[in-house]
Amino acid sequence: MNKDIKILSIESSCDETSAAVVVNGRNVLSNIIASQIDIHKKFGGVVPEVASRKHIEAISVVVKEALEEANVKLNDIDAVGVTYGPGLVGALLVGLQYAKGLSYAIDKPLIGVNHIEGHISANFIQYKDLKPPFVCLVVSGGHTFIVHMKDYGEFEVMGETRDDAAGEAFDKVARAIGLGYPGGPKIDKISKKGNEDAIKFPRANFHDDSLDFSFSGVKSSVLNYLNKKQMKNEEINKEDVAASFQKAVVGVLVDNVIKACKIKGVDKIAVAGGVASNSCLRETLKKECKKIGVDVLIPEPILCTDNAAMIGSAAYFEYINGRIVKEDINAIPNLKLGER
Ligand code: KG4
Ligand code: ZN
């Protein structure tokens, strides 16, 4: 029988410091997440320098806790996986440098992981039998992609945002209607009491066969609507604004990912990233996919937001394919999917 591969993984690309122990890319023994959200809330968004400083404080604690909770000794670890991009450079460097030191100390390989590949891999943890090929919709605070995962470690980007990420648009609109940061979950919540057909916000449609997205138009349209209302001293129904905005964003996400699925002839759509927790996206995608006999895979919320377990899963598939990184690996803030 083949030996189990235990990976200690580290994630610090944005505002969560996280460490995990994952076996064979699928079984999570621990997944410790120290979130900085409460600190960044005061500033209405993530402040990069503050994020780096908080990662430095938290990193040793979360790694220790991850090993303890997994009941695993450092010597039992087969490899160290770490996010090296995309993300905030100062934040990435903290996790990367820590992982380099650790891999040297225990004399085990270091595996650099693309954060977006990590988000996609969360699906391998949730669905133990899942294998490529499938199409994945990656929707987070910093990224919006439609990806065809042909095989482990093989990705084709079929569509991406030309401006704001989906989560970023949620956060900006939430701020404009006074809901605070992070706005996505708050928009999701109040939308349940609103009328999604109350206001017609535009959807960006590109005139070619592109599966790209643009969310800055719908965001500006919400801001204009709010300005006009304020100038006329008219009351704003926040619930209706939130629900109508959400419908516009979810509509285009669902339409494009279904088109991608038909183009590739696959029967599975996976979703990844923080916005995958959005209840309207979950329900609409499931409803539309049921009509065409396509399975929808959405990991539980803790695996959708930033966490190290997803990095440990992606690292495992890199490891078994022999993709061990060199000692001079650096943080790459704008690392592209599939780039190595
Ligand atoms: O994946 P993630 O934790 O971090 C990044 O890598 O960006 O995603 C965070 C984003 C934030 O923009 C947040 O507002 C959004 O995910 N988000 C949601 C929901 N939960 C989190 N957006 C819409 N509806 C939600 N329920
Ligand atoms: Zn992320």
Side-chain angles (χ1 to χ4, degrees):
M1 206 173 87
N2 290 340
K3 176 188 174 300
D4 282 342
I5 302 299
K6 285 195 191 76
I7 294 192
L8 173 67
S9 51
I10 293 175
E11 154 65 36
S12 71
S13 66
C14 190
D15 59 347
E16 262 96 27
T17 323
S18 181
V21 178
V22 181
V23 181
N24 297 338
R26 306 259 184 184
N27 297 324
V28 179
L29 300 187
S30 62
N31 187 22
I32 308 297
I33 305 167
S35 175
Q36 306 174 2
I37 281 186
D38 286 343
I39 299 152
H40 298 288
K41 240 183 206 167
K42 290 181 228 143
F43 306 103
V46 179
V47 183
E49 194 190 316
V50 175
S52 310
R53 289 169 182 271
K54 289 291 154 192
H55 285 309
I56 273 285
E57 284 172 19
I59 189 112
S60 307
V61 183
V62 296
V63 169
K64 202 168 162 227
E65 230 179 294
L67 288 164
E68 275 171 13
E69 193 177 300
N71 202 12
V72 164
K73 299 260 174 292
L74 258 182
N75 283 341
D76 301 330
I77 293 295
D78 296 288
V80 180
V82 63
T83 308
Y84 73 110
L88 302 168
V89 69
L92 289 164
L93 285 171
V94 175
L96 186 57
Q97 189 51 27
Y98 196 93
K100 275 192 184 193
L102 210 54
S103 110
Y104 178 75
I106 61 172
D107 195 21
K108 290 288 157 66
L110 180 65
I111 301 156
V113 174
N114 179 309
H115 180 77
I116 308 298
E117 285 189 31
H119 272 302
I120 298 171
S121 297
N123 284 280
F124 295 125
I125 297 173
Q126 186 75 49
Y127 302 97
K128 307 290 181 211
D129 300 324
L130 175 65
K131 291 184 180 73
F134 56 85
V135 162
C136 186
L137 174 67
V138 185
V139 269
S140 75
H143 311 277
T144 308
F145 288 108
I146 293 177
V147 179
H148 178 218
M149 187 168 188
K150 297 181 214 172
D151 203 344
Y152 296 106
E154 272 188 56
F155 306 91
E156 178 193 344
V157 175
M158 299 179 71
E160 63 189 301
T161 182
R162 296 190 183 181
D163 41 56
D164 291 349
E168 190 181 353
F170 268 95
D171 293 337
K172 285 178 178 168
V173 166
R175 193 185 313 159
I177 54 176
L179 298 179
Y181 175 84
K186 291 175 179 144
I187 295 226
D188 192 354
K189 192 168 171 206
I190 71 164
S191 291
K192 293 191 181 13
K193 291 186 226 135
N195 172 8
E196 61 177 21
D197 296 314
I199 312 148
K200 276 256 163 306
F201 291 127
R203 296 180 186 192
N205 278 321
F206 297 109
H207 292 298
D208 45 19
D209 293 334
S210 169
L211 296 177
D212 281 355
F213 303 102
S214 166
F215 297 111
S216 71
V218 59
K219 175 200 69 191
S220 303
S221 167
V222 174
L223 298 182
N224 287 341
Y225 173 88
L226 296 173
N227 275 342
K228 275 189 199 146
K229 284 280 193 186
Q230 272 156 1
M231 274 158 63
K232 288 193 220 156
N233 251 335
E234 286 175 9
E235 210 170 298
I236 294 162
N237 183 322
K238 289 184 183 184
E239 286 82 7
D240 285 354
V241 174
S244 303
F245 159 77
Q246 182 173 268
K247 185 183 180 183
V249 172
V250 165
V252 71
L253 290 172
V254 170
D255 284 356
N256 285 11
V257 76
I258 287 181
K259 275 187 209 156
C261 176
K262 287 181 178 166
I263 291 169
K264 294 297 175 190
V266 294
D267 59 0
K268 288 183 284 271
I269 293 179
V271 191
V275 184
S277 298
N278 183 267
S279 57
C280 176
L281 175 62
R282 287 175 174 246
E283 283 156 26
T284 315
L285 189 59
K286 281 184 184 158
K287 195 175 86 196
E288 293 306 316
C289 285
K290 202 172 171 195
K291 292 182 195 162
I292 54 169
V294 165
D295 284 342
V296 176
L297 312 173
I298 309 179
E300 60 176 312
I302 196 73
L303 293 171
C304 286
T305 50
D306 289 350
N307 69 90
M310 68 185 197
I311 302 301
S313 174
Y316 169 77
F317 295 108
E318 294 289 276
Y319 179 87
I320 56 171
N321 284 313
R323 288 192 278 263
I324 308 299
V325 304
K326 294 204 212 92
E327 279 158 19
D328 63 355
I329 183 176
N330 205 342
I332 305 182
N334 55 358
L335 182 68
K336 301 273 175 292
L337 197 62
E339 199 177 86
R340 290 195 171 80

